[in-house]
Amino acid sequence: MGEIVLEQVTKSFGDVTVIPPLDLTIEDGEFTVFVGPSGCGKSTLLRLIAGLEDVSSGAIRIDGRESSTIPPARRGLAMVFQSYALYPHMTVRKNIAFPLRMSKMSKAEQDKRVEQAASVLNLTDYLDRRPGQLSGGQRQRVAIGRAIVREPAAFLFDEPLSNLDAALRVGMRLEISELHNRLKTTMIYVTHDQVEAMTMADKIVVLRSGHIEQVGSPLELYRNPRNLFVAGFIGSPKMNLIEGAEAAKHNARTIGIRPEHIAVSAEEGTWSGLVGVAEHLGSDTFFHVHDTGLAETITVRADGEVSFKHGDRVYLTPRTEFMHRFDEQGLRLP
Amino acid sequence: MSTKASRFSARLMLAPAVILLLAWMLVPLTMTLIFSFQRFLPMRGGFQGWVGFENYIRFVNSSAFWPAVQTTIIIVGGVLLITVILGILLAILLDQPIWGQGIVRIMVIAPFFVMPTVTGLVWKNMFMDPNNGLLGYLWRFFGGDPVVWLSDVPVLSIILIVSWQWLPFATLILLTAIQSLDSDQLEAAEMDGAGPLSRFWHIILPHLSRAITIVILIQTIFLLAIFAKIFVTTQGSFGTRTLTYLIYQRVLESQNVGLGSAGGIYAVILANIFALFLMRIVGKNLDR
């Protein structure tokens, strides 16, 4: 069980308010991702839930129990740190067993749980090594192992993949998702990487300077961003945001159209422009098109086989059914 | 430093320093070694011939030798115990954010800058003197009889004086070690359910183990040679005669340079055994 409810939670350091009053409900078993640019308060929010920071006001309810004044160890949560925070002088076995040892569990039960966690995480062969002798991915798994043996009400991940290289990051992303499918435990995951958020989350919480900008499933956020910030943050490459006369035609201050919702052709279209940079990824090609008469450079996604070159003239046609319209305050128009 | 020419010029330029250092170290050591095989009494006829290992045998068989070794070990061990334990506690205390942190840290480190002779005299006259010393006043204030420190508990007195001087050194090294501890580890331990004592025992202390071995290593080498503080306080009486002090007495008081030199060579060997032993422990700690 692991339902976490935040009610009017605030946090300030001295005069600086990091989190203005905030309400959020995380359902039991849900994989929730806090995402936002650096300095948006997502890590602070996680540390408040963990109990590593005290809330300035408000309540944190874990399974209905007011927990904002309970010490971290008794909240029944486990955390995986960005730096992994393994204990360098202990073997992997001792690292994983540490929380069990602290809760004075019997030696036999400790061993059983450590073996079990190790086999889930493919660490059985490394149990007698020290963290210093492991690769980044293995260290990451030890940190996860140390979290799962406690059988916590919820897991907290603080940017766990940011110290890994790109290939390993994709692998670990899958492993963590699979772990969630198997354990069905609540997980809260903090990241600044919207790809991680989109691929892993049941529910994404987009944060900006301590405010929640939008909460929803990945596809809800993709399809119906509530405002300009979410529209620009979710999706890769970024949504094209166009202001001025072109937006006024659609009765909006700003219009947004994703690169994948623009058709490219050599003969005819709504806008015409010159290809700047062409990024060939193999499966897809991204063209950055300028001199379209719009102030902004337009990014377009095309099939990998489409091969315009730098300086070619192309014609772009936005698919109006996927167009997003925003008003003066940057809020979505219906 | 890859070409032959640059390697050669590098060696050439290093040579003066290396030669000077070697001479600095080797000349006195060689002279001590040579003297130790001679019967050499400066005030009573000077050089009186080569005697082989006689000085070595006489030095060890003297009734003062084993008590001196014992005293040395007790003093070194006592000082190490006090400085390491109090050093860890002080380092943890100084690591806490407090008002006036900078000044407090300088004050704590200050004793290390006081010259050994001055330290000895200050403690002897201003603290441990039964009539005028602060400790004497303290005892009388509580209605006790002042302790005559330097003759009643001479070894303990020396240990206290030396510890006072070396505690800042231990504290400083251990403080920097504590500051290098990743705070994530402490937070992870906190989440894992470790209380303050468990965190100290399972996280902080293992983290400090390397710094502790370094403190022990460096202090042992220096403590084996303490002299000034004994010279100005007890003059080696009341069982405070360490090996260093015994050698001093043989050379200067008995005017027997040969015998003293043999003792000096023993001290060198002893210090090297300690150093070798401790270096291995440090090396082992560094491997992790």
Side-chain angles (χ1 to χ4, degrees):
Chain A
M1 286 294 108
E3 186 203 44
I4 298 170
V5 181
L6 308 184
E7 276 171 14
Q8 292 295 302
V9 167
T10 68
K11 175 67 184 175
S12 27
F13 294 102
D15 294 339
V16 186
T17 305
V18 184
I19 311 254
L22 179 147
D23 293 289
L24 180 67
T25 303
I26 293 155
E27 308 286 346
D28 178 41
E30 204 170 45
F31 196 119
T32 303
V33 175
F34 293 171
V35 68
S38 43
C40 70
K42 55 192 189 295
S43 282
T44 309
L45 195 56
L46 192 75
R47 290 168 63 82
L48 288 175
I49 296 172
L52 295 171
E53 304 276 357
D54 289 325
V55 292
S56 298
S57 69
I60 296 173
R61 259 184 264 287
I62 299 171
D63 285 333
R65 189 174 59 142
E66 160 59 17
S67 303
S68 56
T69 52
I70 297 179
R74 299 226 312 272
R75 296 191 185 190
L77 308 174
M79 183 149 164
V80 175
F81 289 79
Q82 180 174 3
S83 65
Y84 317 141
L86 300 179
Y87 312 126
H89 53 278
M90 298 184 197
T91 59
V92 170
R93 185 189 300 278
K94 285 197 172 146
N95 260 288
I96 296 178
F98 188 74
L100 306 178
R101 213 166 127 206
M102 287 299 112
S103 63
K104 308 222 160 50
M105 187 178 278
S106 75
K107 192 82 186 68
E109 177 70 15
Q110 281 185 31
D111 285 342
K112 205 183 97 198
R113 288 214 197 175
V114 171
E115 297 290 342
Q116 211 172 354
S119 74
V120 169
L121 295 162
N122 290 325
L123 285 169
T124 312
D125 295 340
Y126 305 103
L127 278 177
D128 294 315
R129 296 210 192 159
R130 284 177 203 280
Q133 298 163 305
L134 301 179
S135 69
Q138 289 164 342
R139 283 182 215 185
Q140 178 67 73
R141 286 208 288 268
V142 176
I144 294 173
R146 194 172 62 185
I148 62 176
V149 283
R150 291 178 58 195
E151 299 178 354
F155 291 98
L156 312 177
F157 292 93
D158 189 4
E159 306 218 15
L161 305 185
S162 52
N163 287 348
L164 300 176
D165 65 56
L168 211 51
R169 207 178 300 165
V170 175
M172 283 309 297
R173 210 163 75 194
L174 279 174
E175 284 188 38
I176 293 177
S177 293
E178 270 167 20
L179 195 68
H180 178 246
N181 288 337
R182 183 160 41 202
L183 297 177
K184 308 242 180 287
T185 310
T186 313
M187 291 189 176
I188 305 177
Y189 188 104
V190 164
T191 181
H192 60 264
D193 181 351
Q194 62 92 24
V195 177
E196 278 176 26
M198 292 296 282
T199 50
M200 300 169 85
D202 294 324
K203 178 157 93 187
I204 297 180
V205 178
V206 182
L207 288 159
R208 179 170 58 161
S209 38
H211 285 282
I212 294 180
E213 295 286 328
Q214 191 169 1
V215 178
S217 75
L219 286 179
E220 266 170 51
L221 263 57
Y222 177 83
R223 288 183 186 137
N224 298 310
R226 207 168 63 91
N227 56 29
L228 274 176
F229 178 78
V230 179
F233 198 80
I234 299 292
S236 171
K238 274 179 69 167
M239 182 191 285
N240 295 296
L241 297 169
I242 300 159
E243 291 181 353
E246 189 65 30
K249 276 191 216 163
H250 298 271
N251 298 320
R253 173 66 179 271
T254 314
I255 54 169
I257 183 84
R258 295 193 185 277
E260 51 271 43
H261 297 148
I262 301 178
V264 199
S265 129
E267 289 90 31
E268 52 172 350
T270 315
W271 305 317
S272 96
L274 299 174
V275 173
V277 175
E279 296 175 303
H280 297 278
L281 301 183
S283 57
D284 303 299
T285 306
F286 296 109
F287 297 110
H288 299 269
V289 182
H290 53 86
D291 287 333
T292 50
L294 306 168
E296 298 83 3
T297 300
I298 304 293
T299 310
V300 192
R301 190 200 75 126
D303 192 83
E305 303 308 314
V306 178
S307 56
F308 292 113
K309 286 193 294 296
H310 175 81
D312 286 355
R313 178 156 295 274
V314 290
Y315 296 87
L316 308 177
T317 313
R319 294 167 64 185
T320 40
E321 69 268 34
F322 290 118
M323 194 173 278
H324 306 272
R325 301 185 308 131
F326 301 96
D327 65 11
E328 285 77 10
Q329 280 82 46
L331 290 176
R332 177 184 188 79
L333 289 167
Chain B
M1 294 284 223
S2 50
T3 67
K4 234 176 207 173
S6 67
R7 268 203 300 270
F8 175 75
S9 59
R11 277 180 201 158
L12 198 71
M13 285 180 223
L14 276 173
V18 172
I19 291 169
L20 195 70
L21 276 174
L22 267 180
W24 203 264
M25 192 188 79
L26 283 181
V27 171
L29 185 66
T30 318
M31 283 176 70
T32 312
L33 208 60
I34 293 170
F35 280 135
S36 69
F37 293 108
Q38 292 176 353
R39 184 170 162 77
F40 188 69
L41 308 163
M43 310 289 267
R44 286 169 281 160
F47 176 69
Q48 294 173 13
W50 299 92
V51 291
F53 281 93
E54 194 195 299
N55 284 328
Y56 288 88
I57 296 158
R58 264 185 68 194
F59 194 86
V60 179
N61 287 335
S62 129
S63 63
F65 178 73
W66 288 111
V69 170
Q70 196 190 349
T71 310
T72 309
I73 292 173
I74 290 173
I75 289 178
V76 171
V79 173
L80 285 178
L81 207 67
I82 291 176
T83 51
V84 168
I85 292 175
L86 287 184
I88 292 172
L89 297 180
L90 262 178
I92 290 173
L93 213 58
L94 289 176
D95 190 41
Q96 311 298 319
I98 44 165
W99 188 82
Q101 201 165 38
I103 291 171
V104 170
R105 282 185 189 170
I106 289 173
M107 300 250 288
V108 168
I109 289 152
F112 200 51
F113 301 133
V114 181
M115 284 165 280
T117 326
V118 177
T119 308
L121 287 172
V122 164
W123 274 87
K124 180 186 179 184
N125 296 314
M126 295 178 72
F127 288 97
M128 291 178 166
D129 188 284
N131 297 316
N132 303 317
L134 273 180
L135 294 175
Y137 281 113
L138 191 71
W139 253 248
R140 273 197 291 276
F141 181 81
F142 287 105
D145 269 337
V147 181
V148 190
W149 288 88
L150 291 169
S151 54
D152 286 357
V153 279
V155 176
L156 179 67
S157 305
I158 300 279
I159 291 178
L160 286 179
I161 296 171
V162 179
S163 299
W164 179 79
Q165 179 133 62
W166 281 91
L167 183 56
F169 173 79
T171 308
L172 198 63
I173 299 222
L174 295 169
L175 177 62
T176 53
I178 283 189
Q179 284 173 337
S180 74
L181 177 59
D182 182 7
S183 64
D184 276 0
Q185 272 183 43
L186 288 175
E187 288 183 341
E190 199 182 340
M191 298 238 24
D192 283 346
L197 271 180
S198 306
R199 262 175 285 165
F200 173 74
W201 190 254
H202 293 291
I203 312 294
I204 297 177
L205 209 56
H207 176 76
L208 288 181
S209 63
R210 189 181 301 177
I212 292 172
T213 24
I214 288 170
V215 166
I216 291 177
L217 173 67
I218 295 176
Q219 282 201 19
T220 307
I221 290 168
F222 280 91
L223 293 178
L224 283 173
I226 44 165
F227 175 77
K229 293 188 198 71
I230 300 175
F231 184 73
V232 299
T233 51
T234 60
Q235 302 246 311
S237 50
F238 314 119
T240 58
R241 182 159 57 193
T242 59
L243 198 54
T244 318
Y245 208 87
L246 180 67
I247 295 164
Y248 159 76
Q249 284 184 336
R250 289 288 179 267
V251 174
L252 271 150
E253 286 175 12
S254 334
Q255 286 292 325
N256 191 336
V257 173
L259 191 60
S261 298
I265 297 298
Y266 275 125
V268 168
I269 294 170
L270 189 71
N272 272 295
I273 292 172
F274 265 112
L276 208 72
F277 181 63
L278 288 164
M279 285 292 227
R280 292 197 114 170
I281 300 176
V282 175
K284 219 188 231 168
N285 269 342
L286 291 179
D287 279 345
R288 285 183 199 162

